[in-house]
Amino acid sequence: MNKPSMKSPYEMRESRVPSSRFGRLWQYGGLATSMAFGAVGESFRRATGSQNEAGGSLMLSAANMERLVAKLSKMRGAALKLGQMMSFQDSKMLPGPINDVLQRVQDSADFMPPSQRNRVLNSNLGSGWRQLFSSFEEKPIAAASIGQVHSAILASTGQKVAVKVQYPGVASSIDSDLSNLSILLTASRLLPRGLYLDKTIANARLELAWECDYVREAEMGTRFHELLADETDIFHVPAVIEEASGPQVLTAGYCEGIGVTKAQNLTQDERDWIGTHILRLALREITEFKFMQTDPNWTNFLYNPETKKLELLDFGASRDYPDRFILPYIKILLAASRSDRASVRDLSVQLGYLTGHESQAMLNAHVSSVLTLAEPFMETAPEVYDFRDQTITDRVRGFIPVMIRERLAPPPEETYSLHRKLSGAFLLCARLGSRVRCRDMFVNAMGKAGLV
């Protein structure tokens, strides 16, 4: 199937958030209907020769993909969040047009009109909420799946802050949104079998509930601030402003940095430094904290060239990992770093990645993919691993068709978030072209965990 040409990235624009369950159901129904009619129209164009692309799925036409981007960006909430979560899966697991859509919605969302936004602020901070700020920017600086962010100046201190305002109806519509989206994706056959869509949706339901709880997010951010108190020369976690926060409004110190993938004219040393510390933080979260900020969206990592620090944002999806999961997982990483295939297989059965009854092809694919991912940490790896030359992702992709076809059970629930974050760190290093002392970093992390 040829890859359809896509239009320019979706631009943030104002639109009312569908906040009632009926309103959101109506939107899903409208999307299904419009995509069905779009497929009929595409069929007619191909039959009459008025469309250059003769092959490929009718549902995956360029016009239908534009409809999907626009609708996800308008719906926000669970619809957009699930799309963002799936966008961090390997691109070879999804049809090309679907992957294009999901990449585009990572940073795409409409923002709500002032009247709708003000009702949220009134209910959380009181009708006199404007008195908390000496200035408040009316147009948001960012709009995401759960809420939008405004810059403001705190009246009491003159501090510049970021005010995150949750979209109305998002929290109460999680279950119905995900159910409707599951029906749409299944009925339209937009996704291949073997992806365990039900497990992905269950994980999305859990994480969405966390992310809609801004009180919990404030607590998680404070916890990270404390955990990284020994690295304030490298990481900055903005402090929460409690006087201007509530269940659906979260105010914190403003970060002046630039998204790590958007920063221009980075030197190679800066690229190496950023990649090193983001990957090191991921290992520290796994082996030392057993607690991780699991959203791999690169916009959550800012680089401030003035302070030479990494600024960390968005702690809504932070979570603890129980010892019953994380300790065997760490042992799998250690076994893989030693190329110990038998231990990787046995520990994978213990954790539930394998049942022990898989075909030899599936066993080989699973174990080989784990060892491939661990290459930068292996005892035989180069002292400095150059992510500019890495072929890890391409080689792992080669195992995916077998694993989709022959996997007997879905992976443990904890895996979805942890692997998104860890693979996100790898992909970020590759995108930056970082050169990282992965082997020494891994040995140090394992040493602190008491495993070497």
Side-chain angles (χ1 to χ4, degrees), residues 310-331:
L310 285 169
E311 298 169 340
L312 308 180
L313 306 175
D314 199 347
F315 299 95
S318 300
R319 64 174 297 169
D320 288 288
Y321 289 107
D323 284 348
R324 62 170 173 74
F325 169 80
I326 201 65
L327 294 180
Y329 186 89
I330 294 171
K331 290 179 181 178

Side-chain angles (χ1 to χ4, degrees), residues 62 72 109 158 188 219 302:
L72 288 176
S188 60
E219 293 171 352
L302 310 181

